[in-house]
Amino acid sequence: MKRVALWVTYEGTSFSGYQVQPNGRTVQEEIERAVSRIHKGEQIRIHSSGRTDTGVHARGQVVHFDSMLSIPAERWPKALNACLPDDIRIIEACYVASDFHARYHAVKKEYRYRVLLRQEGDVFRRNTSHHVPYHISVPRMQEAAQTLIGTHDFSSFCAANTSVVDKVRTLFTISIEQDRDELIFKLVGSGFLYNMVRIIVGTLLEIGSGKREVHELAFILSAKDRTHAGKTAPGTGLFLWKVDYNEPIFSELY
Amino acid sequence: MKRVALWVTYEGTSFSGYQVQPNGRTVQEEIERAVSRIHKGEQIRIHSSGRTDTGVHARGQVVHFDSMLSIPAERWPKALNACLPDDIRIIEACYVASDFHARYHAVKKEYRYRVLLRQEGDVFRRNTSHHVPYHISVPRMQEAAQTLIGTHDFSSFCAANTSVVDKVRTLFTISIEQDRDELIFKLVGSGFLYNMVRIIVGTLLEIGSGKREVHELAFILSAKDRTHAGKTAPGTGLFLWKVDYNEPIFSELY
């Protein structure tokens, strides 16, 4: 029995999120179905670095599962992609230690959030960005964002309906870059609470538009209360970009 | 009565092409429905620079129609976009001379074709590129492509089932650029026959992969016979990029 790790990408638009659920198509069930087909129908559970919500995309999701098959690592992507719908693609596979866990061994995660700043929407980016047709000040958001760096109780930036008790997380870096009509938010942290990136981005956009003041962010963070933060930005702009482990498991392309 | 010209973009994936037809959703019918709604139900015919096929995209389609309404030009996009599905967006509108015709007055058209050169497909570009997982020589295609520049009878690069009689067209420029894992073919000409860009790209890809020799292209062109050329490349990679008139009608962004 060998443990296989996969670098998985998906366009989240047509999924009811990552995790298997009674209603709606999910990424997990599609990958489990493909893995099962390669194992002649045997049910095999796959484990991910974490779930993603409806409409949220992944450039660098990581999953693992155990297999009795002796398939060379470089053949797994092609074999699985032949059984997968075209909005999920496996980019790389590798064999990992038998105690590797995609979720519990993750030491760092990067999320990116894409905002489209233009008058009218873009048909080619409508499912992979959040369209904002009014003026946003990037320097205001950059100034406010610095407040969030470090280890904090991020309760104000966590969906109210979560069961997680410990809401302390470490945000290593947060940057906001403009490239023509696009804003890219990059957040790297030890881990993220439910909706944390989307609530941070939603609140920063309210600061950027002038609806809130720059200094409000420190107050919101210290309040430890979701009701003080801004709106949750839509899932369409969010990408799970990269998951890091103590040792790199994929090629340098990852 | 004033004539309005629109800069239209659409992602062709969910359309059965541009032109109205009995079965299937089309770009023309969606725009006519939106224009009609703004005119309180009055049926208004719109005219385009030319049709596009199923799955083909437009970054710079141009259409025109006549209206009795006195709406400032800059308000048309927002008004129409509010009535349009999100895979069609109007970027700009302007008033043009009453004898302007989007199709008959076009003097130059640019099409682009995007090819993805990588082992596994890309979930984010699957509907807007043609995925080629094997090696392609760009210099071979560039050398062969020069043969096509100029005024020629392009019968070999025209779908067999067309009713057009005069198949002489002028290809001003053709370029093929590589940017990381993407190839962009850019073709600028006086006009293009049915499937002409897709058959040219399909044939060049066969030369790039080594299936055909570079010098074959001159023979294929002179044969004036569709059966000599290569396969028609899929519509997903094709974009109607720009339509030029004697005078620019939109802003310099177009």
Side-chain angles (χ1 to χ4, degrees):
Chain A
M1 187 78 96
K2 286 164 88 181
R3 187 155 287 187
V4 182
L6 303 175
W7 167 4
V8 182
T9 63
Y10 46 88
E11 209 244 70
T13 313
S14 308
F15 292 105
S16 300
Y18 174 83
Q19 193 175 43
V20 167
Q21 52 156 282
N23 304 306
R25 181 177 174 249
T26 66
V27 178
Q28 185 186 352
E29 83 188 14
E30 292 284 5
I31 301 177
E32 287 186 346
R33 186 179 298 142
V35 169
S36 166
R37 270 183 65 182
I38 291 183
H39 292 82
K40 300 185 176 169
E42 187 193 345
Q43 295 293 313
I44 293 175
R45 172 74 4 150
I46 64 159
H47 301 269
S48 75
S49 75
R51 60 188 84 162
T52 53
D53 276 344
T54 301
V56 173
H57 317 291
R59 175 235 168 240
Q61 175 66 287
V62 178
V63 307
H64 79 259
F65 63 91
D66 292 321
S67 174
M68 293 293 282
L69 301 177
S70 312
I71 298 178
E74 66 275 16
R75 297 229 184 127
W76 275 109
K78 198 172 181 183
L80 286 166
N81 286 336
C83 305
L84 283 166
D86 69 358
D87 46 2
I88 305 181
R89 287 292 95 175
I90 310 300
I91 306 299
E92 263 186 54
C94 61
Y95 287 104
V96 288
S98 59
D99 66 344
F100 171 87
H101 197 288
R103 181 172 171 198
Y104 302 127
H105 291 182
V107 293
K108 203 164 82 175
K109 274 188 181 176
E110 177 174 346
Y111 277 93
R112 294 195 183 177
Y113 195 96
R114 180 153 85 155
V115 170
L116 211 56
L117 291 179
R118 40 188 266 166
Q119 201 59 44
E120 307 300 337
D122 182 340
V123 293
F124 302 112
R125 289 177 285 179
R126 72 190 191 282
N127 293 326
T128 52
S129 66
H130 168 38
H131 175 219
V132 172
Y134 44 82
H135 177 74
I136 295 285
S137 160
V138 179
R140 281 173 64 89
M141 294 195 293
Q142 283 169 331
E143 188 187 342
Q146 302 315 307
T147 312
L148 301 173
I149 293 174
T151 303
H152 304 285
D153 180 323
F154 282 97
S155 295
S156 295
F157 302 96
C158 178
N161 58 346
T162 182
S163 57
V164 176
V165 177
D166 178 12
K167 290 176 180 167
V168 174
R169 295 290 183 278
T170 301
L171 187 65
F172 301 125
T173 59
I174 174 167
S175 69
I176 307 155
E177 291 162 24
Q178 182 154 12
D179 178 16
R180 282 173 290 185
D181 59 2
E182 263 184 38
L183 284 185
I184 306 283
F185 293 73
K186 298 180 185 173
L187 292 91
V188 180
S190 61
F192 291 87
L193 298 165
Y194 187 49
N195 278 357
M196 181 168 150
V197 178
R198 291 166 56 186
I199 299 170
I200 289 175
V201 170
T203 307
L204 288 173
L205 287 172
E206 292 179 10
I207 290 169
S209 72
K211 190 179 164 191
R212 289 172 186 264
E213 293 305 322
V214 172
H215 62 78
E216 277 187 59
L217 203 62
F219 166 75
I220 296 168
L221 180 64
S222 63
K224 301 184 183 65
D225 178 350
R226 169 70 187 91
T227 63
H228 287 78
K231 280 190 188 156
T232 305
T236 51
L238 186 61
F239 295 73
L240 170 54
W241 199 259
K242 203 167 186 285
V243 185
D244 279 330
Y245 299 91
N246 273 323
E247 301 284 328
I249 57 173
F250 300 117
S251 74
E252 57 194 16
L253 292 172
Y254 180 71
Chain B
M1 187 78 96
K2 286 165 87 181
R3 185 155 289 188
V4 182
L6 303 175
W7 168 4
V8 183
T9 63
Y10 45 88
E11 209 244 70
T13 312
S14 309
F15 293 105
S16 299
Y18 174 83
Q19 194 176 41
V20 167
Q21 51 155 283
N23 304 307
R25 181 178 174 249
T26 67
V27 178
Q28 186 186 352
E29 82 188 16
E30 292 284 5
I31 301 177
E32 287 184 347
R33 185 179 299 142
V35 169
S36 166
R37 271 183 64 182
I38 290 183
H39 292 82
K40 301 184 175 172
E42 187 193 346
Q43 295 293 313
I44 293 176
R45 172 75 2 152
I46 63 159
H47 301 270
S48 75
S49 74
R51 60 187 86 163
T52 52
D53 277 344
T54 302
V56 174
H57 317 291
R59 175 235 166 241
Q61 175 65 286
V62 179
V63 308
H64 79 260
F65 63 92
D66 292 322
S67 174
M68 294 292 282
L69 301 177
S70 311
I71 298 178
E74 66 276 15
R75 296 230 185 127
W76 276 107
K78 198 171 182 185
L80 286 167
N81 286 336
C83 306
L84 283 167
D86 69 357
D87 47 1
I88 304 181
R89 287 292 96 173
I90 310 300
I91 306 298
E92 263 186 54
C94 61
Y95 285 105
V96 288
S98 60
D99 67 343
F100 171 87
H101 197 289
R103 180 172 172 197
Y104 301 127
H105 290 183
V107 294
K108 205 164 83 174
K109 274 189 182 176
E110 178 173 346
Y111 277 93
R112 293 196 184 177
Y113 195 96
R114 179 152 85 154
V115 171
L116 210 56
L117 292 179
R118 41 188 264 167
Q119 201 59 44
E120 305 302 336
D122 182 340
V123 292
F124 302 112
R125 290 176 285 180
R126 70 190 193 282
N127 293 326
T128 52
S129 65
H130 168 38
H131 175 218
V132 172
Y134 43 82
H135 178 74
I136 295 286
S137 160
V138 178
R140 282 172 63 91
M141 294 195 292
Q142 283 168 331
E143 187 187 343
Q146 302 314 308
T147 312
L148 300 173
I149 293 173
T151 303
H152 306 284
D153 180 322
F154 281 97
S155 295
S156 295
F157 302 95
C158 177
N161 58 346
T162 182
S163 58
V164 176
V165 177
D166 178 13
K167 291 176 180 166
V168 174
R169 295 290 184 278
T170 301
L171 187 66
F172 300 125
T173 59
I174 175 169
S175 69
I176 307 155
E177 291 162 24
Q178 183 154 12
D179 177 16
R180 282 172 292 182
D181 60 1
E182 262 184 38
L183 284 184
I184 306 283
F185 292 74
K186 299 179 185 173
L187 292 90
V188 180
S190 61
F192 291 87
L193 298 165
Y194 188 50
N195 278 356
M196 182 167 149
V197 177
R198 292 166 56 186
I199 299 170
I200 289 175
V201 170
T203 307
L204 288 173
L205 287 171
E206 292 179 10
I207 290 168
S209 72
K211 190 180 164 190
R212 290 173 185 264
E213 293 304 323
V214 173
H215 63 77
E216 275 186 61
L217 202 63
F219 165 74
I220 296 168
L221 179 64
S222 64
K224 301 183 183 67
D225 178 350
R226 170 69 187 93
T227 63
H228 287 79
K231 279 191 188 156
T232 305
T236 52
L238 186 60
F239 295 73
L240 170 55
W241 199 259
K242 203 168 189 281
V243 184
D244 279 330
Y245 298 92
N246 273 324
E247 301 284 329
I249 57 172
F250 300 117
S251 74
E252 57 194 14
L253 292 172
Y254 180 72

